[in-house]
Amino acid sequence: MPQGSMSARTVGPRRAIIYHQSSARLKKWRNAIRKTLLAESAEIIDGAVSVELDFILSPPKSTKLVRAVLDALEGPSVTNDSRVTSVRASKRYGDTEGVMIKMVLEE
């Protein structure tokens, strides 16, 4: 799922408009992750946490998947995605796209 990026467009001499580009599918994907996390999470973590992500994709897909998932974790599972201290991510190809998320509270 493309995360999106900042872009700029010139509108005259020495003037530009900066805007955020994002995939139309991104918001739907993040919301699906949040909905699943809200249904399954017992409590919101407010501590250092490591995150393991195992993406299942149909080739080819975006490389900005980790950032999208960390944004989706904020709220339903962690107080702030800055609490994530390590991330291990892998991807494999399959017919049904998705992501398996494992979070471990660090001591």
Side-chain angles (χ1 to χ4, degrees), residues 13-106:
R14 303 176 68 189
R15 186 163 178 220
I17 296 174
I18 298 174
Y19 57 97
H20 187 261
Q21 294 179 321
S22 65
S23 168
R25 294 174 48 203
L26 176 63
K27 186 174 182 177
K28 183 178 176 183
W29 197 63
R30 276 189 192 151
N31 287 339
I33 292 171
R34 285 187 176 118
K35 183 178 178 181
T36 301
L37 292 170
L38 285 168
E40 296 185 12
S41 294
E43 63 184 76
I44 296 176
I45 298 169
D46 186 23
V49 63
S50 64
V51 176
E52 292 184 20
L53 307 171
D54 184 20
F55 294 99
I56 304 154
L57 309 169
S58 55
K61 287 292 177 182
S62 171
T63 59
K64 297 181 180 180
L65 297 168
V66 171
R67 189 170 75 184
V69 171
L70 294 182
D71 287 346
L73 293 178
E74 191 170 313
S77 294
V78 294
T79 55
N80 190 293
D81 65 1
S82 66
R83 305 297 286 175
V84 176
T85 58
S86 70
V87 175
R88 184 201 64 77
S90 63
K91 65 179 178 179
R92 55 192 164 99
Y93 300 111
D95 294 329
T96 304
E97 294 184 350
V99 60
M100 298 295 295
I101 302 170
K102 177 182 176 184
M103 299 188 321
V104 178
L105 183 62
E106 296 182 353

